[in-house]
Amino acid sequence: MELQIKDLNKTYSNGVQALKDVTLTIPQGMFGLLGPNGAGKSSLMRTLATLQQADSGSATLGDIDVLKDKAKVREILGYLPQEFGVYPKISSYNMLNHIASLKGVSNKSERKDLVESLLNKTNLWHVRNKSLGTYSGGMKQRFGIAQALIGDPRLIIVDEPTAGLDPAERIRFHNLLSEIGENTIVILSTHIVDDVSNLCNNMAIICLGEVVAKGNPSELTEGVKGRIWKKAIEKGDLEEYQFEMQVISTYLKAGRTIIHVLSDNKPDSTFEPSKANLEDVYFAEITSRMALSVD
Ligand code: ADP
């Protein structure tokens, strides 16, 4: 089963065009939707999760019309929104039991088996009787995945799931997602490049509502190979470099300012070649567009 999105458009009542002719094919497995804040990721996720209407375009999942057959989509959808509120006083065991019952798992022993397997899968068994309000950020996110998995979803959408997680919690969450991604479509929306390079076989970069790159992360990285150059500079000289060449990113290393420049040829003898990675692809796509939108 594939999710086919075609020419999706959305303009909010304040005039912001959040989605511009978005066209994507999303196969089974982990799909990364990468973009800076305000790119349109949540708008796309909410549309696919049937929580808001698009102005035009289509989305189909197998034979389901995602934009029209909302009830059908909800039957096969697991959604972990960006802001995931929990009832603080209830335990994860009781909450999952309750949601499973709402989702139609009416047989008591079947529900018990389901809840227990979800708690084990998301590594929450040891805290199953603790109230959700006492959970760490990572535990809350894993609980969010547990509830999203009820009903055996074919499409799972997770919106910015690792923001605020510490490194160990992030790794645990990644492992959980990639396990799930083996036989479902999982769309991971994020502004964190590493989340996508570590987890996803397919991806798209979205910026100012438009899909600006799509494909396999290694193939996209291959596309900028041999065109990334680096140099340590004086911080005060940054503007001059930005004026003269296409500086795609700037970062600090051991207190020094390093720039990455995209160029077919070595900008000058003071630059060194830099091994291209997905972050270079990402910044090469978004930096110039974001700069233009500010001007
Ligand atoms: P992202 O998830 O990538 O951060 P969003 O989809 O939340 O991006 O936002 C895309 C653009 O649409 C932004 O400019 C944002 O300010 C705007 N936007 C999002 N939701 C609304 C809304 N309900 N009403 C008006 N503008 C919105």
Side-chain angles (χ1 to χ4, degrees):
M1 191 145 59
E2 271 185 353
L3 174 63
Q4 303 256 13
I5 302 166
K6 203 156 184 288
D7 295 329
L8 212 58
N9 282 285
K10 172 73 182 176
T11 301
Y12 289 108
S13 53
N14 60 358
V16 173
Q17 194 176 359
L19 299 174
K20 296 178 195 165
D21 293 325
V22 169
T23 296
L24 289 170
T25 298
I26 302 184
Q28 193 154 296
M30 296 281 305
F31 184 93
L33 181 70
L34 189 60
N37 288 333
K41 302 183 296 297
S42 293
S43 299
L44 180 58
M45 298 300 100
R46 287 197 301 264
T47 308
L48 297 174
T50 74
L51 298 173
Q52 73 181 35
Q53 300 271 75
D55 299 332
S56 61
S58 66
T60 53
L61 178 65
D63 56 4
I64 301 175
D65 183 331
V66 175
L67 305 186
K68 293 204 181 104
D69 303 338
K70 293 192 175 166
K72 269 197 190 153
V73 176
R74 286 173 195 167
E75 278 171 23
I76 52 126
L77 173 76
Y79 179 50
L80 178 59
Q82 201 170 352
E83 300 283 324
F84 183 69
V86 291
Y87 293 98
K89 295 218 168 112
I90 192 166
S91 71
S92 55
Y93 191 103
N94 288 340
M95 193 68 209
L96 288 176
N97 194 43
H98 178 64
I99 300 172
S101 164
L102 290 178
K103 283 203 177 176
V105 189
S106 52
N107 181 293
K108 213 170 165 185
S109 79
E110 199 184 308
R111 207 162 62 229
K112 181 170 178 282
D113 288 349
L114 172 66
V115 168
E116 293 190 0
S117 85
L118 288 171
L119 286 165
N120 277 314
K121 192 171 200 159
T122 52
N123 204 10
L124 291 172
W125 180 253
H126 61 299
V127 287
R128 67 191 177 284
N129 294 320
K130 292 219 165 102
S131 51
L132 290 167
T134 65
Y135 280 21
S136 69
M139 286 176 183
K140 278 186 192 143
Q141 287 298 64
R142 295 207 303 281
F143 172 78
I145 283 290
Q147 63 80 32
L149 287 175
I150 295 174
D152 209 9
R154 312 291 307 275
L155 170 65
I156 296 177
I157 294 177
V158 284
D159 203 351
E160 305 267 359
T162 61
L165 299 192
D166 72 33
E169 285 176 327
R170 233 175 105 211
I171 290 170
R172 210 173 291 143
F173 193 74
H174 280 174
N175 291 340
L176 176 61
L177 281 182
S178 48
E179 218 176 277
I180 297 164
E182 282 168 17
N183 41 24
T184 335
I185 299 175
V186 181
I187 306 179
L188 170 70
S189 150
T190 182
H191 63 271
I192 302 170
V193 180
D194 279 352
D195 283 357
V196 174
S197 47
N198 290 337
L199 286 172
C200 302
N201 280 330
N202 286 288
M203 63 171 294
I205 299 173
I206 181 170
C207 184
L208 301 167
E210 275 180 279
V211 175
V212 295
K214 52 186 164 187
N216 166 277
S218 337
E219 282 167 19
L220 289 173
T221 306
E222 196 66 20
V224 292
K225 199 175 157 191
R227 295 194 291 144
I228 307 294
W229 308 90
K230 65 178 174 190
K231 181 181 179 179
I233 61 160
E234 293 301 325
K235 207 167 145 217
D237 295 340
L238 177 60
E239 237 173 73
E240 204 177 316
Y241 282 98
Q242 283 171 326
F243 186 73
E244 280 175 15
M245 46 193 82
Q246 193 179 346
V247 178
I248 56 169
S249 61
T250 311
Y251 61 98
L252 287 174
K253 194 172 180 185
R256 306 198 65 193
T257 301
I258 315 280
I259 54 172
H260 277 197
V261 166
L262 177 71
S263 168
D264 288 346
N265 303 306
K266 193 174 190 164
D268 67 43
S269 62
T270 61
F271 279 82
E272 278 177 55
S274 177
K275 190 170 180 290
N277 56 33
L278 193 60
E279 200 156 79
D280 293 316
V281 177
Y282 176 65
F283 286 122
E285 292 294 345
I286 68 159
T287 311
S288 53
R289 289 182 170 89
M290 299 296 279
L292 283 176
S293 83
V294 171
D295 295 344

